[in-house]
Amino acid sequence: MWIVSVLISFAVAFILTYVYGKGHLKEEVAEQDVPVNDAADYAEENQKAEKLGKEELSLKDEIIVSPVNGTPESLTKVNDQVFSAKLMGDGAAVIPSDGTIYSPVTGTVTIAYETKHAYGIKSDNGAEVFDSHRS
């Protein structure tokens, strides 16, 4: 008996979706604006792609130094799940030998947390660096 009720509910759901869903889909597609690409759009997209390519090449030449003096350590060995799992991206860890912290690049601080445990820095060449430390 339950098989018959399942089949009936499936059939009713299918028919209602077919009748009402199909008409709704046609209206939705008809209302969408479809951009038309012309030669000017194509040239603009090409220029954007070339600019991004040049920026990536300059970032490959970026030199990022250690923000502290100390012993290098694998990021996977850090006692922080976010960094050890590389959720913030690739990086390196350093066990400090003194208390002085330097900027890893020449650039501008873009983010400074109130707790002063982490900073976002954008280098003069465009690289974005996240510097975090624990006391």
Side-chain angles (χ1 to χ4, degrees):
M1 182 67 171
W2 65 273
I3 293 176
V4 174
S5 59
V6 169
L7 290 175
I8 290 173
S9 64
F10 178 75
V12 169
F14 177 78
I15 291 169
L16 290 174
T17 302
Y18 183 78
V19 171
Y20 292 108
K22 193 173 184 181
H24 178 68
L25 181 63
K26 286 180 185 176
E27 291 172 8
E28 212 173 88
V29 171
E31 291 175 6
Q32 290 180 355
D33 292 330
V34 178
V36 177
N37 292 335
D38 60 7
D41 290 340
Y42 180 75
E44 185 179 328
E45 291 298 320
N46 257 356
Q47 288 175 345
K48 287 180 184 177
E50 286 178 15
K51 183 179 176 185
L52 285 174
K54 288 178 184 175
E55 286 177 4
E56 285 183 18
L57 286 176
S58 70
L59 291 179
K60 288 182 181 178
D61 294 335
E62 183 77 34
I63 297 173
I64 300 174
V65 298
S66 174
V68 295
N69 294 322
T71 309
E73 183 77 31
S74 171
L75 192 61
T76 58
K77 294 182 180 179
V78 173
N79 189 19
D80 185 311
Q81 292 177 350
V82 173
F83 288 102
S84 64
K86 296 187 178 182
L87 295 177
M88 298 294 290
D90 279 337
V94 178
I95 299 170
S97 60
D98 60 34
T100 306
I101 298 176
Y102 305 94
S103 174
V105 293
T106 301
T108 306
V109 174
T110 56
I111 298 171
Y113 291 92
E114 288 183 30
T115 57
K116 299 180 182 176
H117 78 283
Y119 302 91
I121 304 167
K122 185 164 188 174
S123 77
D124 291 342
N125 291 337
E128 295 179 358
V129 178
F130 183 75
D131 184 23
S132 175
H133 64 276
R134 289 188 171 196
S135 298

